[in-house]
Amino acid sequence: MGREKEKENPSQKALNLLRTRLSNPNFVFKPLSDSPDSNYSKLKFIISSSITEACNNSILLLGPRGSGKVAVLELVLSDLLQQYPEAISVIRLNGLLHGDDNCALKEIARQLCMEHQLLFSKVASFDDNSQFLIAMLRECGLAHKTIIFVLDEFDLFAQAKQRLLYSLLDAMQSVTSQAVVIGVSCRLDVDQLLEKRVRSRFSHRKLLFLPPSKEDTERFLEHILSLPKDSSLPHSYTVEFNGRLKNVLADERFKELINTYLSFNSTIGQLMRFLFQAVSYMDLDVGFLSLENFKTALSSTQRQPKSECIKDCSILELYLLVCMKRLEVKEQNSYNFNSVMTEYKSIHDFQTSDNYAGNVCLRAFEHLLQRELISFTDNRGHNQSVEFRPVKLLISPAELYHGLKSYRSCPAILLKLIAR
Amino acid sequence: MAKVESPQVTRRTTRSYSASNDAIESTKPIEPYKPTLNDLGFRQQPLSFEDLLSCLPGRRTQVLELLRLLGPLNSPMFPILIYGGPSTGKTSVILQVFRHLNRPFVYSSCVTCYSPRILFESILNQLFHRKNSGNSYSSIKRCEKPSDFVNYLREALESVIKNLKGNSGKLSSKVSGQPNGTMIYLVFDHLERVRKWDKSSTILPFLFNLFDILKMPEVGLIFISNTSPDTYYFNMGYVEPIPLCFPDYTEDDLRQIFMANQTNRKLYSSFLDVVLRPFCRVTRRVDELSAVFSSLFKKYSQPLSDMGVAPNEDMKRRLFSHLQPHITSALNETFLSPSWPPLLKDEANGETKKKGSSRMSRIHEDFDKIDFHMSTSAKYLLISAFLASRNPATLDASLFDSTGVSDSRKRKRKPSEKSLEQKEMTELELLMKGPGTFPLERLLAIFQCITSLAEDSLDEEESHELTIEGGSSGLMSDVLLQLSSLCNANFIIKGGSCPLEGSTRYRTAVSEDLALKVARSLKFPLSKYLYRR
């Protein structure tokens, strides 16, 4: 695979197509939004009615991460922009970026200026920006133009003083303004975080985004992974690909696999990541998806990081971990490196093959700290040197035991010590 | 009348001033370097696949999986998190894979970019800006907040991607060595450092959610971390990136790594047969092992006259027996490179013999000397700090009275059972609590006592050796300076102030071994002053 070939073979093109689809949320959520009682239709109805009736509105979209809240919202907005091209302007804010009120108002002013081709000044103060906002709302209201505010990560806006929320919702109370505030959040109780005065100005409309049912998921999988008939791929290849895909999807083992995955990661967004991994494991020489791809993807999502860390440890580090566990069993509540060293030396009373000096053990101790298998229990920490600060184990005894048992060439003494 | 010329006072110029003057006169102003798309690629010859695998031994599965996740040309991807222990080759694999694929990428490490502002500006600078004297080494834009970063990044990425799309249409791009494709990848190295930043609770979720915030399918994000993904869980959620694990090297991989680039492979392989297994029980990190193997290999091949010879069984046994004592001693050292090279060390030993009575024993030569330089007053200060931490304050009067060391006569009684138990408890306490704190006045008092004692004892010897001028007052003026430099070097830790008195308290941070070494170098009988319970 030295240089990329000019002419891609069909399997590579198919892989590209599938990967592009899976990482594009708009494509993914379109089929789920077709039915009339879906969130898409409800949201579209609410926003379009507030546009046509020239009234203010506010709504919250709630659901776990990856359930498609922003994707569905973008679909609705793009449809409405096509339907009413001159009557909408959209301002997008994100709680991670604009959680601070000054920052948020600056961003609102910047986006408004960009949309209406005005000059934006970077040194405008908070008051200037808020006056500008109110003036724009009034002007747009007079021109029958609705401003839609999309507040992503709404719970982060509701943290400190909620000045932005209050000023937005307050500005919406006047008759001249036409604005819709859409809050998107993963916390289902986000309206409890609002202050009393903000909550009273908020219409308590909420849309919950739930994971789709099993039948929907199955139909959806087939739709996502099948190659379209009218693409630039050769027709015979497409037909065979889709045929094999159908066989895989109908397989009982596949259904079990998907159920296992969905039982702990139930949102569509995470399913997309899983399918992306499976698709990227597709063997380009064969050119078709097989059950093995999905199995490999599932095993790569079921990692146990702490057991992997144990496998990476050297034998001296395992000794230190076993000594710490023995100290915990002896109910010493706080212990530090020096007490671990005394325990280590006492283990070696009857065997001297792995007895190392203090500085070597200290270095192994620091490796364990780096891997986060142990950690300090005090927070201030800079008053003492490393040997005296109290530590604790971050790995449970069961995990330690399993790790030791599956360790290649683990010394027998360790297994004996930990079994007691 | 002769003209008296006023003496011309020549102006003294510094070297840089005269050099710059010459430079300005002689050369034209240098054109600022305009970075182009080529700078986003690896800028060296691309590798073939076999070369890629051979220069990264033991990492075949990881390279294949990474190539699968990155996908074919121009295919979008979800963010990836590469994690594994230190020195397992994560950064090298990523960089070499990008060299092989010849795709444009932007690399930034959270070790060199130690605050959000530096990280953001470094990424923006790499996308088409070069700091030079023309713009007085400033970044292209001042960017502190994540919101500004996202806006500027979007602008910069859009222009870069437009350029890339324009170039990929032409066939000549493949010939001129420009990077392929229309996607650009952002690599964030050493992500675990971000957890220790002040703003880590907003910056980390921001970085992980950057893919969703940017909503640009032409951008790929790759995170590299030394700790596993479960150390990144916070209150604020984020969608997890796809994890890719780099486990530590196994013994066979280590053997392959060390055998690469060796001139005499058979000799080195017999060396590895001997040392690899015992050292792997202590640590499996490549950087630590390579430091010790290089010095041990020199000792291993010392008796050989011809370095190119392939050893037979008999020679192997002899070499092994020659190396055996060095192995056991090396296993008990932390593998630091010595601060003096071994040759110079012999000379230094020869020099110190000139100073009169030196009782250094030959066998423990390496372990008895401290291998860094400290001034005499700093050494005395260190010993005083150690004594102040270890001994309780009430004992000072009896230990340091003007008549010198008084042997405690109270300890002739046989210890009873209860006092033995108490002794154990106090030892345990000492283990747990660590050395005690002391105020500055106590430290200076002990220092005064010790140095006056030292002067008295040295006056009996050849006193012209030492260069201390006139009594302890010569030492005193340095002491506070020395104290602060010892604090900076972490030999003494400065603690908080005592709530009752309000003065700062100090604590010693050296081990007993080091204090004994320092005392031995000063010929100070430290053990007589240590309080043993």
Side-chain angles (χ1 to χ4, degrees):
Chain A
M1 236 173 87
R3 314 266 290 193
E4 320 279 15
K5 298 200 180 63
E6 290 260 10
K7 186 166 152 22
E8 292 175 345
N9 49 2
S11 54
Q12 219 175 20
K13 272 204 254 181
L15 181 62
N16 251 351
L17 180 77
L18 286 177
R19 282 169 67 120
T20 319
R21 268 194 198 172
L22 287 169
S23 51
N24 182 5
N26 286 347
F27 180 88
V28 164
F29 285 98
K30 209 155 166 40
L32 291 173
S33 315
D34 281 340
S35 65
D37 61 343
S38 68
N39 283 331
Y40 168 84
S41 340
K42 289 185 201 161
L43 189 59
K44 189 164 176 186
F45 175 69
I46 293 176
I47 303 183
S48 51
S49 62
S50 69
I51 295 176
T52 47
E53 290 167 23
C55 63
N56 294 310
N57 220 334
S58 50
I59 186 170
L60 274 180
L61 303 180
L62 303 173
R65 250 174 229 283
S67 32
K69 309 181 285 289
V70 173
V72 166
L73 179 63
E74 293 293 332
L75 281 175
V76 168
L77 287 177
S78 57
D79 284 345
L80 289 176
L81 277 171
Q82 277 181 344
Q83 222 179 337
Y84 309 102
E86 287 303 318
I88 304 181
S89 98
V90 183
I91 308 285
R92 290 184 176 85
L93 295 176
N94 191 314
L96 271 177
L97 307 176
H98 311 120
D100 178 33
D101 295 324
N102 288 339
C103 210
L105 266 183
K106 190 164 144 185
E107 182 68 19
I108 293 180
R110 189 191 74 94
Q111 291 192 17
L112 281 173
C113 289
M114 242 175 42
E115 184 134 356
H116 296 101
Q117 271 101 32
L118 299 169
L119 272 178
F120 172 64
S121 144
K122 286 192 195 156
V123 297
S125 70
F126 179 80
D127 289 327
D128 292 341
N129 282 336
S130 57
Q131 278 173 9
F132 174 65
L133 170 65
I134 296 180
M136 281 301 289
L137 276 174
R138 197 175 47 233
E139 289 299 318
C140 287
L142 289 174
H144 291 293
K145 190 165 179 170
T146 313
I147 304 188
I148 302 184
F149 292 94
V150 177
L151 299 175
D152 214 347
E153 315 282 356
F154 191 72
D155 44 309
L156 292 177
F157 283 112
Q159 276 191 351
K161 266 212 221 162
Q162 306 179 11
R163 271 203 303 185
L164 172 74
L165 288 180
Y166 178 69
S167 45
L168 269 184
L169 290 173
D170 198 34
M172 275 169 39
Q173 299 292 3
S174 69
V175 183
T176 51
S177 69
Q178 273 181 262
V180 180
V181 170
I182 306 177
V184 179
S185 173
C186 301
R187 282 183 69 158
L188 299 180
D189 62 342
V190 71
D191 56 341
Q192 305 297 326
L193 295 173
L194 297 174
E195 279 177 12
K196 193 155 99 66
R197 58 178 185 166
V198 177
R199 200 183 319 155
S200 60
R201 286 171 173 77
F202 187 74
S203 84
H204 287 75
R205 282 207 180 84
K206 293 187 222 174
L207 272 184
L208 270 181
F209 281 73
L210 299 169
S213 63
K214 243 190 197 170
E215 299 80 22
D216 280 344
T217 319
E218 287 178 12
R219 264 188 301 129
F220 167 74
L221 278 174
E222 174 147 13
H223 168 83
I224 277 269
L225 291 174
S226 309
L227 295 176
K229 300 244 168 23
D230 54 350
S231 68
S232 54
L233 297 166
H235 182 71
S236 54
Y237 173 73
T238 316
V239 164
E240 188 170 359
F241 186 93
N242 290 344
R244 287 203 190 199
L245 181 68
K246 247 202 175 96
N247 288 341
V248 170
L249 291 179
D251 196 344
E252 274 306 314
R253 294 173 290 172
F254 177 80
K255 292 199 181 144
E256 209 181 295
L257 211 144
I258 285 285
N259 284 340
T260 322
Y261 186 76
L262 286 177
S263 62
F264 53 88
N265 268 331
S266 60
T267 57
I268 292 286
Q270 282 166 330
L271 186 61
M272 288 305 103
R273 277 175 155 73
F274 171 70
L275 292 177
F276 181 86
Q277 275 187 288
V279 162
S280 37
Y281 284 130
M282 180 169 92
D283 196 350
L284 281 177
D285 302 325
V286 173
F288 304 115
L289 281 175
S290 73
L291 190 62
E292 306 310 320
N293 302 135
F294 292 96
K295 277 197 193 153
T296 332
L298 185 68
S299 62
S300 78
T301 58
Q302 285 176 329
R303 288 186 197 277
Q304 300 273 17
K306 289 278 194 276
S307 318
E308 287 170 349
C309 276
I310 293 272
K311 243 190 289 190
D312 283 345
C313 284
S314 69
I315 296 189
L316 177 59
E317 292 162 14
L318 290 180
Y319 265 97
L320 290 179
L321 285 174
V322 169
C323 292
M324 288 177 78
K325 178 177 169 288
R326 281 168 62 87
L327 285 176
E328 284 198 352
V329 164
K330 287 184 192 171
E331 293 192 1
Q332 262 195 15
N333 285 333
S334 74
Y335 45 89
N336 58 14
F337 173 69
N338 285 340
S339 14
V340 175
M341 276 305 288
T342 40
E343 180 72 26
Y344 174 70
K345 291 207 164 55
S346 70
I347 292 184
H348 283 287
D349 275 341
F350 38 92
Q351 187 197 337
T352 54
S353 79
D354 273 316
N355 203 354
Y356 298 107
N359 50 356
V360 180
C361 293
L362 183 60
R363 191 186 55 182
F365 190 73
E366 287 180 352
H367 286 179
L368 287 175
L369 281 171
Q370 260 178 358
R371 282 192 218 275
E372 305 243 340
L373 283 171
I374 62 182
S375 81
F376 292 123
T377 49
D378 57 352
N379 280 335
R380 340 156 259 120
H382 296 295
N383 246 347
Q384 288 265 31
S385 45
V386 174
E387 300 129 329
F388 293 105
R389 285 172 68 180
V391 294
K392 64 174 188 241
L393 270 179
L394 287 179
I395 179 171
S396 69
E399 279 176 324
L400 185 58
Y401 183 60
H402 284 298
L404 283 179
K405 276 187 83 166
S406 53
Y407 192 85
R408 217 168 59 158
S409 71
C410 176
I413 181 173
L414 284 182
L415 288 173
K416 205 166 43 147
L417 286 172
I418 196 146
R420 266 194 252 131
Chain B
M1 254 205 275
K3 269 197 212 154
V4 177
E5 282 184 353
S6 57
Q8 295 223 344
V9 178
T10 52
R11 278 185 66 198
R12 285 172 63 203
T13 58
T14 58
R15 211 179 301 154
S16 59
Y17 180 68
S18 47
S20 63
N21 267 342
D22 293 340
I24 287 176
E25 288 164 22
S26 57
T27 62
K28 293 182 295 191
I30 306 170
E31 290 268 331
Y33 176 68
K34 286 206 173 25
T36 59
L37 267 182
N38 279 349
D39 297 316
L40 288 177
F42 199 80
R43 278 180 272 158
Q44 280 179 32
Q45 282 303 317
L47 290 176
S48 71
F49 188 57
E50 292 77 25
D51 283 342
L52 177 70
L53 286 181
S54 65
C55 80
L56 299 165
R59 286 289 171 227
R60 193 194 162 86
T61 23
Q62 280 79 31
V63 168
L64 288 176
E65 190 160 338
L66 185 62
L67 285 173
R68 285 223 172 93
L69 285 174
L70 286 176
L73 198 59
N74 302 338
S75 119
M77 60 171 242
F78 281 117
I80 304 179
L81 173 69
I82 301 180
Y83 67 98
S87 81
T88 43
K90 306 181 287 290
T91 313
S92 332
V93 165
I94 274 282
L95 293 176
Q96 297 301 323
V97 162
F98 275 118
R99 181 175 167 188
H100 161 68
L101 293 174
N102 200 14
R103 291 189 200 171
F105 69 101
V106 170
Y107 174 86
S108 54
S109 160
C110 298
V111 168
T112 48
C113 308
Y114 51 87
S115 80
R117 174 170 163 203
I118 303 180
L119 179 66
F120 297 154
E121 289 184 1
S122 140
I123 296 178
L124 290 173
N125 284 343
Q126 287 188 57
L127 296 165
F128 285 12
H129 175 76
R130 229 6 109 76
K131 291 187 187 182
N132 52 21
S133 52
N135 52 26
S136 59
Y137 296 101
S138 64
S139 318
I140 188 168
K141 287 197 167 67
R142 188 196 156 97
C143 175
E144 252 188 60
K145 302 206 181 110
S147 53
D148 297 333
F149 176 61
V150 169
N151 291 336
Y152 294 144
L153 187 65
R154 230 183 232 135
E155 277 172 36
L157 284 174
E158 273 166 11
S159 73
V160 168
I161 290 172
K162 210 165 50 161
N163 279 344
L164 283 172
K165 283 197 173 123
N167 279 336
S168 70
K170 309 180 212 155
L171 278 172
S172 62
S173 67
K174 298 241 166 59
V175 180
S176 64
Q178 273 189 348
N180 298 338
T182 58
M183 281 200 55
I184 182 164
Y185 300 89
L186 301 180
V187 180
F188 293 88
D189 202 354
H190 298 290
L191 199 66
E192 75 278 356
R193 298 274 175 143
V194 181
R195 292 181 302 156
K196 306 249 168 26
W197 290 356
D198 286 334
K199 301 209 182 82
S200 65
S201 55
T202 43
I203 293 291
L204 259 184
F206 165 67
L207 285 177
F208 281 129
N209 280 331
L210 190 59
F211 181 69
D212 292 325
I213 293 177
L214 274 182
K215 291 200 184 51
M216 293 172 81
E218 297 95 353
V219 177
L221 292 175
I222 300 171
F223 302 102
I224 308 181
S225 154
N226 271 348
T227 53
S228 54
D230 59 331
T231 57
Y232 289 102
Y233 292 153
F234 282 114
N235 286 336
M236 166 85 207
Y238 54 90
V239 189
E240 283 186 31
I242 299 179
L244 178 57
C245 176
F246 271 57
D248 267 7
Y249 293 111
T250 61
E251 271 188 42
D252 301 321
D253 293 333
L254 284 172
R255 174 178 282 268
Q256 228 183 334
I257 291 173
F258 282 115
M259 288 291 288
N261 300 335
Q262 288 294 335
T263 41
N264 187 349
R265 294 179 69 87
K266 290 220 169 65
L267 183 64
Y268 204 81
S269 142
S270 61
F271 169 67
L272 282 182
D273 288 335
V274 171
V275 293
L276 194 60
R277 174 83 32 114
F279 278 94
C280 276
R281 291 176 79 90
V282 177
T283 176
R284 273 157 55 194
R285 277 176 58 166
V286 178
D287 46 356
E288 294 168 0
L289 285 176
S290 68
V292 73
F293 282 175
S294 55
S295 60
L296 273 182
F297 185 61
K298 287 198 188 84
K299 293 203 186 104
Y300 182 74
S301 47
Q302 237 176 5
L304 281 180
S305 48
D306 171 23
M307 283 301 294
V309 69
N312 54 6
E313 283 303 320
D314 187 40
M315 204 188 297
K316 278 188 203 170
R317 252 177 279 127
R318 275 191 294 128
L319 289 173
F320 172 62
S321 52
H322 170 77
L323 191 63
Q324 179 75 16
H326 293 282
I327 293 185
T328 31
S329 68
L331 273 176
N332 277 323
E333 275 183 358
T334 44
F335 312 131
L336 304 166
S337 31
S339 51
W340 298 346
L343 294 169
L344 286 178
K345 207 167 176 180
D346 293 337
E347 286 174 36
N349 283 346
E351 273 178 20
T352 51
K353 286 197 188 107
K354 276 192 269 168
K355 281 216 175 131
S357 57
S358 75
R359 294 177 293 116
M360 278 184 273
S361 54
R362 291 302 165 92
I363 309 162
H364 300 292
E365 217 169 313
D366 290 345
F367 300 125
D368 262 9
K369 291 185 54 130
I370 44 175
D371 54 354
F372 50 87
H373 179 264
M374 275 172 84
S375 62
T376 316
S377 57
K379 287 185 189 169
Y380 277 118
L381 200 60
L382 190 64
I383 296 176
S384 328
F386 183 73
L387 285 174
S389 267
R390 282 298 160 92
N391 298 344
T394 47
L395 226 63
D396 284 350
S398 59
L399 275 181
F400 295 112
D401 62 359
S402 49
T403 58
V405 178
S406 62
D407 213 348
S408 53
R409 291 189 196 98
K410 297 182 196 163
R411 226 160 254 106
K412 301 293 186 192
R413 271 182 286 152
K414 203 166 171 203
S416 67
E417 171 119 7
K418 186 148 187 253
S419 68
L420 274 176
E421 242 181 59
Q422 244 185 4
K423 201 166 140 181
E424 249 184 60
M425 289 289 296
T426 45
E427 264 180 36
L428 202 64
E429 247 186 69
L430 181 64
L431 268 187
M432 282 303 301
K433 269 203 309 191
T437 57
F438 51 86
L440 182 61
E441 294 81 20
R442 189 171 160 218
L443 173 68
L444 292 179
I446 297 181
F447 179 70
Q448 181 93 334
C449 294
I450 294 182
T451 46
S452 59
L453 280 172
E455 278 180 18
D456 292 341
S457 66
L458 276 168
D459 279 340
E460 297 156 15
E461 296 183 14
E462 306 131 61
S463 54
H464 63 270
E465 295 269 17
L466 292 170
T467 53
I468 305 172
E469 303 99 24
S472 53
S473 56
L475 284 173
M476 243 355 197
S477 54
D478 273 336
V479 158
L480 294 177
L481 268 178
Q482 297 280 7
L483 180 63
S484 62
S485 45
L486 283 178
C487 284
N488 283 340
N490 274 338
F491 287 126
I492 299 181
I493 303 179
K494 191 166 167 179
S497 46
C498 167
L500 289 176
E501 291 171 34
S503 59
T504 49
R505 296 184 77 89
Y506 297 85
R507 195 199 291 266
T508 189
V510 295
S511 62
E512 196 165 325
D513 293 334
L514 186 61
L516 284 171
K517 279 191 205 172
V518 170
R520 217 172 282 135
S521 74
L522 286 175
K523 288 170 268 188
F524 181 80
L526 183 65
S527 39
K528 283 194 205 156
Y529 288 88
L530 274 183
Y531 173 61
R532 306 244 183 250
R533 296 195 172 120

